[in-house]
Amino acid sequence: MTTSPPSPVAPWRATVLTLFPEMFPGPLGVSLAGRALASGIWSLEARDIRASATDKHRSVDDTPAGGGPGMVLRADVLAAAIDAAAIDPERPKLLMSPRGRPLTQAFVRELAAGPGPLIVCGRFEGVDQRVIDARSLTEVSIGDYVLSGGEIAALVLIDACVRLLPGVMGKLESGTDESFSDGLLEYPQYTRPQLFEGWTIPDVLTSGDHAKVAAWRRAQAEALTEARRPDLWAEWQGRDGREQRGTGQKEPKSTTDG
Ligand code: SAH
């Protein structure tokens, strides 16, 4: 199922292997990602793993060797599905998995800069280890919790990548000046009305003094990061000391995102 028209320049593409292709593009069919999909900035192919089943029951899973609850996706069926996708060898081959490499903004930027991944969505108790090894799948986790399947995780990964593709966001800088992009959480945002239930917008933001606005935002971003994410704060302080000494403030952010 290809859900976008062909584009003259090779677009970023995602090839998803799933037992539930009807879950795609799902939420990626609307707003920024949906418009970019319709205009051919990226393309999406959701392929049904079950199409590679060979027995008369079209079975894709079986009980775990060694016993235990649940079912495991079969190595032979999944390998056949990966091979049938016939992707370019330079494209990353990912498996959504809670024990994988954490999906960070840096990892997202790396994936967005490439040709776009093949993404295998697990189900049940997971997939047979031999297909992970035999097809050199890179396991990727979206966080320390367990989902019922890899599809929502794949949607998260694709969404995070697509918004960074050239031409997807209104202003180029809106992809670089936000939470995580320089190691800090984002400063608070405000928009009209000026007065909301007795709450005003901080004066500095309406002062028209760009240097003061930038300094305020930086201070807010630092305070938030220190209070909420000691892990990011420690990392940023280390990096700030080594690499960022003497560099300027964050640029004002576009408010046109979305
Ligand atoms: N028994 C496995 C969990 C299986 S959950 C374990 O304990 O590791 C079923 C599928 O959901 C997984 O194969 C994976 O594709 C997906 N999944 C679940 N949690 C995920 C997460 N945090 N990140 C990415 N994928 C996840």
Side-chain angles (χ1 to χ4, degrees):
M1 180 189 67
T2 300
T3 51
S4 69
S7 163
V9 289
W12 191 89
R13 60 188 312 209
T15 303
V16 180
L17 303 188
T18 169
L19 289 172
F20 302 98
E22 65 274 22
M23 288 178 73
F24 297 85
L28 299 179
V30 303
S31 192
L32 281 183
R35 281 198 296 274
L37 182 60
S39 68
I41 292 175
W42 69 289
S43 72
L44 173 66
E45 188 189 13
R47 300 175 62 93
D48 192 352
I49 293 169
R50 201 173 295 279
S52 297
T54 51
D55 67 9
K56 69 176 193 297
H57 302 295
R58 315 231 83 189
S59 59
V60 294
D61 57 342
D62 211 328
T63 54
M71 301 293 273
V72 175
L73 272 171
R74 287 168 52 146
D76 54 348
V77 175
L78 204 43
I82 293 168
D83 297 346
I87 62 154
D88 276 351
E90 71 263 25
R91 293 177 61 199
K93 292 195 292 289
L94 312 180
L95 167 67
M96 302 320 296
S97 160
R99 53 181 209 184
R101 173 179 170 187
L103 187 67
T104 60
Q105 192 63 18
F107 191 8
V108 166
R109 270 198 298 271
E110 193 182 307
L111 290 168
L118 169 98
I119 306 172
V120 177
C121 301
R123 276 274 155 181
F124 321 120
E125 288 306 312
V127 312
D128 188 307
Q129 181 62 40
R130 292 169 298 176
V131 72
I132 303 175
D133 299 335
R135 292 297 178 274
S136 306
L137 302 180
T138 301
E139 293 178 72
V140 181
S141 168
I142 66 159
D144 292 341
Y145 39 79
V146 181
L147 304 167
S148 52
E151 289 77 10
I152 291 173
L155 290 167
V156 166
L157 183 150
I158 297 168
D159 180 80
C161 289
V162 163
R163 60 192 294 286
L164 296 184
L165 299 176
V168 173
M169 281 194 284
K171 290 267 168 66
L172 272 179
E173 69 267 25
S174 37
T176 55
D177 183 45
E178 60 191 357
S179 290
F180 308 119
S181 56
D182 73 352
L184 292 176
L185 301 181
E186 196 183 59
Y187 47 78
Q189 300 275 15
Y190 299 87
T191 187
R192 280 182 289 272
Q194 163 65 24
L195 190 64
F196 162 69
E197 296 183 356
W199 300 70
T200 56
I201 295 175
D203 286 342
V204 59
L205 296 180
T206 47
S207 67
D209 184 334
H210 295 307
K212 273 200 184 133
V213 168
W216 181 87
R217 286 177 167 169
R218 170 55 68 123
Q220 291 283 318
E222 291 181 0
L224 271 171
T225 308
E226 184 175 15
R228 294 184 182 179
R229 292 292 300 273
D231 56 328
L232 293 178
W233 180 242
E235 209 177 300
W236 185 82
Q237 277 186 305
R239 211 186 56 185
D240 194 47
R242 285 194 309 276
E243 296 169 16
Q244 297 186 351
R245 217 186 305 274
T247 63
Q249 304 289 348
K250 294 171 83 163
E251 290 302 309
K253 181 188 165 88
S254 153
T255 54
T256 56
D257 184 3

